[in-house]
Amino acid sequence: MSNSTPQPALEIIGRHSLNGEVKISGAKNSALAIMAGTLLCGDDCRLSNMPCLADINTMGQVLASLGVKIKKTGSTWEFNPRDLKAVKAPYDLVSQLRASFFVIGPILTRLGVAQVPLPGGCAIGSRPVELHVRGLQAMGANVIIEHGVVNASVKGSSGRLKGANIFLDYPSVGATETIIMAATLAEGETVIKNAAKEPEIVDLANFCNSMGAKITGAGTDTIIIQGVSRLHSTDYEIIPDRIEAGTFLVAGAITHSEILVTSINYDHLIPAIAKLEEIGCRVLREDETTLRTIPGALKASDVETLPHPGFPTDMQAQFMALLTISEGNSLVTETVFENRLRHVAELKRLGANIKVKGNSALVCGVPMLSGAPVMATDLRASAALVIAGLAADGKTIVQGLQHLDRGYENLEQKLQGLGAKIQRLPHYQP
Ligand code: EPU
């Protein structure tokens, strides 16, 4: 008997096929940026289709700590930022959630001063924020980083940031979001070149435009923002989570099942669907918002992660799980984050045959995985281990659920609804 403290874990009995349909929740990464965006407006904002997740609750706490009043009714959240007063985001919250650094743009552009702790690295990489900072500096912000805090203030008597031409060395999602939000209330025009093109960028721009911002080009590599002096209240629906949807499509493929994945946006899933079809699982478009997986023999395929519209890094671990039982050799290369292959060691515990060199993993397909206890190392790695467990012979126990709960709403209930043999053990003793 071990002396370690009991932890929640998921128990999965693998090799059961799935059937039925699963409804996708609102997009975590859109919701996080848009929650920061509510700080731009002096009036109430209402967001619907908000996913129920630990990360979303933490972002809610960050906003509350800045003086925002929040009311939740199911998946609709109302934000009243009229009393926004604090310019300093608390370290204990920012260190838990990197995305809370995104409040720097809205606070600075609205109040003229912002102090946000450096978020630090996380399990998947060092994740610096110099592109965010350079963008704000280009718009005239004075930025001093000391004692682990980014102190930004607006120079000059107008108290407003100034539009600027900004070229991003890399199409960073977060930096593009920070600059969009800051530029929305700046004086004059901001042009972001080599901007990120992810669907979450388009969602943030649409949200800002619904409050009266003037943003064009979101979804392309050049985004133009004409600054306005104030924004008005809005009622906005968050887009579906493309990564959650992709995760369920892979669950269908790995269990050789026909399932329906509903409430999706097809265009956002094109890179994942194209790769699934290459591997051998057909994905039919039932209607505008529903996909059907049609199982097929799984064969090897190479995967290289890239900024959108390339293959998403947030799907790399789940596809690697699928490739472990796909016939032949697949080369999986991670180019976006420097340390996002930590799930390899855990997949190997399930019998996968994988060799890592640098940021690439050679996955040699095996006929079957075998269930074992495994430890999740980050959010998408946890989803990959659950998916692998669904296909593995016998029992898999996935520990480290704090990662999974950050980004998947009711994953085990949704999988149970599809007939998976999965249950949460609240007090698993390793
Ligand atoms: N980078 C820099 N300097 C910067 C900013 C980024 O070097 O100033 C580097 C990062 O270190 C990383 C790469 O650029 O190596 C990409 O980072 P990016 O800024 O594009 O990502 P992010 O905004 O930190 C968001 C998502 C991630 C997702 C990435 C890429 C949110 C809250 N997070 O992160 O989501 O992987 O874009 O698509 O939107 C997840 O949901 O599991 C997740 C990690």
Side-chain angles (χ1 to χ4, degrees), residues 28-29 32 98-99 102 124 126-132 170-175 177 198 242 313-314 336-338 340 379-380:
K28 167 182 80 85
N29 290 344
L32 289 171
R98 269 189 52 83
F102 299 169
I124 60 176
S126 61
R127 307 186 76 176
V129 289
E130 86 287 357
L131 296 173
H132 303 238
Y170 183 88
S172 152
V173 173
E177 291 170 341
E198 272 68 3
R242 65 192 167 107
T313 173
D314 292 344
V336 178
F337 289 104
E338 68 267 27
R340 213 175 195 181
L379 169 58
R380 307 304 171 186

Side-chain angles (χ1 to χ4, degrees), residues 86-217:
V87 294
K88 184 164 183 181
Y91 173 71
D92 59 326
L93 294 174
V94 178
S95 61
Q96 282 175 48
L97 175 65
R98 269 189 52 83
S100 51
F101 186 76
F102 299 169
V103 298
I104 194 165
I107 304 180
L108 178 64
T109 201
R110 252 197 79 197
L111 302 180
V113 191
Q115 293 162 353
V116 184
L118 284 166
C122 73
I124 60 176
S126 61
R127 307 186 76 176
V129 289
E130 86 287 357
L131 296 173
H132 303 238
V133 168
R134 271 194 243 145
L136 296 174
Q137 285 170 324
M139 283 187 269
N142 188 23
V143 180
I144 297 168
I145 303 176
E146 58 183 9
H147 308 300
V149 176
V150 180
N151 298 279
S153 56
V154 180
K155 298 182 236 171
S157 54
S158 76
R160 281 177 79 186
L161 291 168
K162 302 229 171 352
N165 288 322
I166 298 168
F167 175 82
L168 290 176
D169 287 349
Y170 183 88
S172 152
V173 173
T176 304
E177 291 170 341
T178 289
I179 298 166
I180 288 178
M181 289 190 271
T184 293
L185 292 176
E187 252 178 310
E189 180 180 279
T190 298
V191 179
I192 313 175
K193 296 243 185 216
N194 199 27
K197 297 184 279 214
E198 272 68 3
E200 294 74 22
I201 301 285
V202 179
D203 208 26
L204 175 66
N206 288 342
F207 163 73
C208 292
N209 285 342
S210 77
M211 297 191 291
K214 296 206 167 94
I215 305 170
T216 53

Side-chain angles (χ1 to χ4, degrees), residues 272-287:
I273 292 172
K275 192 51 72 180
L276 275 172
E277 300 235 336
E278 211 176 289
I279 293 171
C281 172
R282 286 176 59 217
V283 180
L284 301 186
R285 196 172 177 179
E286 288 281 296
D287 59 44

Side-chain angles (χ1 to χ4, degrees), residues 62-69 80-86:
V62 173
L63 299 188
S65 75
L66 297 168
V68 179
K69 295 197 180 61
N80 170 347
R82 270 183 284 273
D83 294 335
L84 173 68
K85 51 187 178 315

Side-chain angles (χ1 to χ4, degrees), residues 33-46:
I34 289 175
M35 286 172 84
T38 63
L39 296 172
L40 289 166
C41 177
D43 297 327
D44 291 1
C45 290
R46 200 143 65 123

